[in-house]
Amino acid sequence: IQMLIFFGAILFTDLNQSADKGDKFFRFMTKISLPIIVTLAGVKIRAEGVEKLPQNKHMMFVCNHQHDFDPVIILSTFPDADIGFIGKKEIFTTMPIISRAMHRLHSLPIDRENDREAAKTIIKAIKLIKDDVVSIGIFPEGYVSKTCELLPFRNGCFKIGIKADVPIAVCVINGTQELPKRIFRKRSVVDFQV
């Protein structure tokens, strides 16, 4: 029933309506539903350094990017943190369920090919943090690394943390690249370090 309510909340999200409406309820449903999704996927998260982060303070999360499951790992590791992500604009046009969930979490699309539009997204992200709405999670490589080697960072990725004057949590995920071969079939361990 819980998962039906969670997915129902995602499916009936109006993308033209403010993400603030029902925000606390959706965050609560995300907090209690993601552990079930992670368990069903056969993923065990081995987290280190989480205690280093300040409590009850919005910040910027910066992480490498090995798989589309990475935001789920971050949200599961920090269940009480209100985190919105910056994601490529294609997610918001080609993945209707994911885009609705991201909208509810105050996530923002970014146009990686248009510097002017990307700057607008960065300004919105800075405002979200300054207005104490959410923390912002970003994958500064801009793409999933197929080789798991760190790709060059996109220009402007740290402007959010600097301009918003908030702590920057530098995180490392390792192990999500194996998920497509193992998900729902074999147990996978994902290492997450702050």
Side-chain angles (χ1 to χ4, degrees):
I1 292 171
Q2 171 193 324
M3 295 305 286
L4 285 174
I5 293 169
F6 179 57
F7 284 111
I10 293 171
L11 288 174
F12 292 104
T13 295
D14 182 355
L15 295 175
N16 296 318
Q17 194 171 51
S18 167
D20 293 327
K21 186 170 170 126
D23 179 48
K24 288 186 180 181
F25 171 74
F26 189 76
R27 288 262 177 210
F28 172 73
M29 290 305 298
T30 301
K31 176 181 176 176
I32 63 173
S33 299
L34 283 184
I36 296 169
I37 293 169
V38 169
T39 301
L40 289 174
V43 175
K44 177 179 177 6
I45 302 169
R46 195 166 43 202
E48 292 180 31
V50 175
E51 72 284 350
K52 297 175 186 176
L53 299 185
Q55 297 297 310
N56 303 317
K57 182 167 185 167
H58 286 129
M59 63 189 75
M60 182 177 164
F61 290 85
V62 176
C63 194
N64 65 313
H65 203 10
Q66 293 185 348
H67 190 270
D68 292 337
F69 204 73
D70 293 343
V72 173
I73 300 298
I74 294 172
L75 289 169
S76 298
T77 305
F78 303 103
D80 295 319
D82 297 332
I83 306 173
F85 291 90
I86 293 180
K88 61 184 179 183
K89 70 171 186 174
E90 292 81 7
I91 293 171
F92 291 81
T93 56
T94 62
M95 303 171 86
I97 293 173
I98 302 295
S99 66
R100 282 173 164 74
M102 289 181 71
H103 175 74
R104 294 293 297 267
L105 295 171
H106 290 278
S107 296
L108 302 170
I110 192 163
D111 187 341
R112 299 173 298 182
E113 308 307 322
N114 185 326
D115 290 343
R116 178 171 281 159
E117 290 302 313
K120 288 179 185 176
T121 298
I122 289 170
I123 290 166
K124 283 183 195 171
I126 293 166
K127 183 169 175 20
L128 283 173
I129 297 177
K130 280 190 166 184
D131 291 349
D132 209 28
V133 177
V134 290
S135 291
I136 292 292
I138 189 167
F139 301 101
E141 297 163 278
Y143 297 90
V144 171
S145 174
K146 303 295 184 192
T147 63
C148 297
E149 292 178 12
L150 201 60
L151 300 173
F153 287 0
R154 306 285 290 188
N155 290 336
C157 63
F158 288 103
K159 284 182 183 171
I160 298 166
I162 293 167
K163 297 277 187 186
D165 193 27
V166 292
I168 298 174
V170 179
C171 308
V172 178
I173 288 179
N174 196 17
T176 54
Q177 74 279 4
E178 295 296 323
L179 291 183
K181 303 173 201 162
R182 304 174 67 94
I183 201 161
F184 301 116
R185 292 191 308 255
K186 293 182 182 175
R187 194 154 180 77
S188 299
V189 176
V190 173
D191 289 313
F192 183 90
Q193 295 178 315
V194 177

